[in-house]
Amino acid sequence: RAPHLGIPMTALDTRTLTFALVLVTAFLGGVLYLVWLRDQKLKRYALWSAGNLGIAAGWLLIGLRGSIPEFASIVVANPLIALGYGLILAGVQRFQETEIRWKASAAIVAAVFIGQWIWLAAKAPVDIRIVFVLSLLAVQALRIAGQLRRAEDAAAGPASRGTSAIFALNGIAFLATAAYFALPRGALSGFSAPSLPIAAMLTVCLICAVGWSMGFLAMVDQRQQDEIRNFNNELEAQVASRTQALQSEIKARGETESILREMARVSSDYFWKMDVNHRFIDTPGMDAWHVNFDVSRYIRGRTREEIADPEDLKSNPEKWRHYRRSLSARATLREFEYVAIDHNGQNRFWSVTG
């Protein structure tokens, strides 16, 4: 006993643990709420926050039993805790991107509410109410553990399995406490006072609340790291693919430029200068275009008739007479076409305007 309070020490421990559990779950719910505020698209944080706050509210009402009406501390408090676990389960399902299944959780919350209401009105023994509530809370905790174990997310796998183990421990603590109160009290009369199992259960719940909140954050962190790695890998693959495409494009463009350059060379206009005897004295630009053509040897110092194909001179005499008359009159030549033979013996077809 605590002499100055006149109450058993175990009762003090139970109430202290209850309020400690309230503070921890409320604090963790607040932390998760602040995380959700940073990115409100992530509804899982909102659900986890609401779940922790619901559990905190339920345990707070239970801790205030005797100071508030029994309807609030029993009929309202226990469904709030069951609802908190249901919200946490919904957050897990949202995290796993699976369908949120509300029906089972809603049925459990409704069963806790109706059952406690009926048994309170019927003044049923406390042990029956404890066994009933803790059994349903155990179902909720084990449902969350099972959902986490079924996770297909390889990135969050280790954290999911660890968090699953925490909820499984929580569920086992509820079941063990329910089993204690379900057994005949005489069979356990020498084992402990009724408040000791409750204190042990609250201690486990306190540890589990910290554990599952840390587990949720670890799950999210592991998934984000995996998403970053996947993004980097995809980015590297895209960069490599784009680099290869650019190299192919540059190569193709280079080939196209070569073709265009050759076409330009073939279709380009050249300028020439002649002396008074109509001999070529300068052909600017032709040396740069014709790599295999000796312009100095073939053109400079010669007349157009001297570089023309003899066959062309012989077969088109009128054309060449017109050419000579145009030169004598200093008239303009327009598209005067003729065949020439270069120093390699190759035919070259020229069109002259000027």
Side-chain angles (χ1 to χ4, degrees), residues 104-314:
S105 294
I108 291 174
V109 173
V112 173
F113 179 82
I114 295 171
Q116 292 295 81
W117 194 355
I118 293 174
W119 279 329
L120 178 64
K123 299 186 183 300
V126 174
D127 290 4
I128 294 177
R129 298 204 303 265
I130 291 175
V131 171
F132 176 73
V133 170
L134 292 182
S135 298
L136 292 179
L137 292 181
V139 171
Q140 288 286 68
L142 293 174
R143 288 179 66 218
I144 298 172
Q147 185 71 37
L148 289 166
R149 290 294 298 178
R150 290 193 296 271
E152 298 179 358
D153 192 341
S160 293
R161 288 190 291 271
T163 310
S164 172
I166 291 171
F167 277 103
L169 176 62
N170 192 196
I172 291 170
F174 285 143
L175 287 176
T177 308
Y180 173 86
F181 285 96
L183 292 173
R185 189 55 53 84
L188 299 173
S189 59
F191 176 66
S192 65
S195 57
L196 285 179
I198 296 294
M201 181 195 70
L202 290 172
T203 302
V204 173
C205 289
L206 182 62
I207 295 171
C208 289
V210 176
W212 74 54
S213 296
M214 294 178 64
F216 290 151
L217 294 175
M219 286 162 53
V220 173
D221 180 66
Q222 288 180 2
R223 173 179 285 184
Q224 288 177 340
Q225 290 181 7
D226 186 68
E227 289 175 349
I228 290 172
R229 282 194 297 270
N230 290 338
F231 176 78
N232 289 337
N233 291 337
E234 291 176 3
L235 183 60
E236 289 177 0
Q238 290 177 359
V239 170
S241 176
R242 183 56 181 160
T243 301
Q244 184 177 1
L246 286 173
Q247 290 174 344
S248 300
E249 184 177 343
I250 291 171
K251 182 179 179 182
R253 185 173 297 176
E255 294 174 353
T256 302
E257 287 180 356
S258 299
I259 295 172
L260 291 175
R261 189 179 296 111
E262 182 64 18
M263 291 174 64
R265 183 190 68 79
V266 171
S267 62
S268 290
D269 292 334
Y270 303 116
F271 299 93
W272 69 91
K273 294 180 181 179
M274 289 181 165
D275 60 14
V276 294
N277 297 317
H278 308 301
R279 296 183 180 277
F280 291 102
I281 58 174
D282 193 12
T283 53
M286 292 188 70
D287 294 288
W289 282 105
H290 294 277
V291 178
N292 298 320
F293 184 40
D294 190 346
V295 177
S296 299
R297 179 179 172 186
Y298 177 61
I299 293 180
R300 292 189 183 110
R302 305 175 71 184
T303 65
R304 185 166 278 114
E305 290 171 285
E306 289 175 344
I307 65 173
D309 182 4
E311 186 63 29
D312 189 14
L313 293 170
K314 181 179 179 180

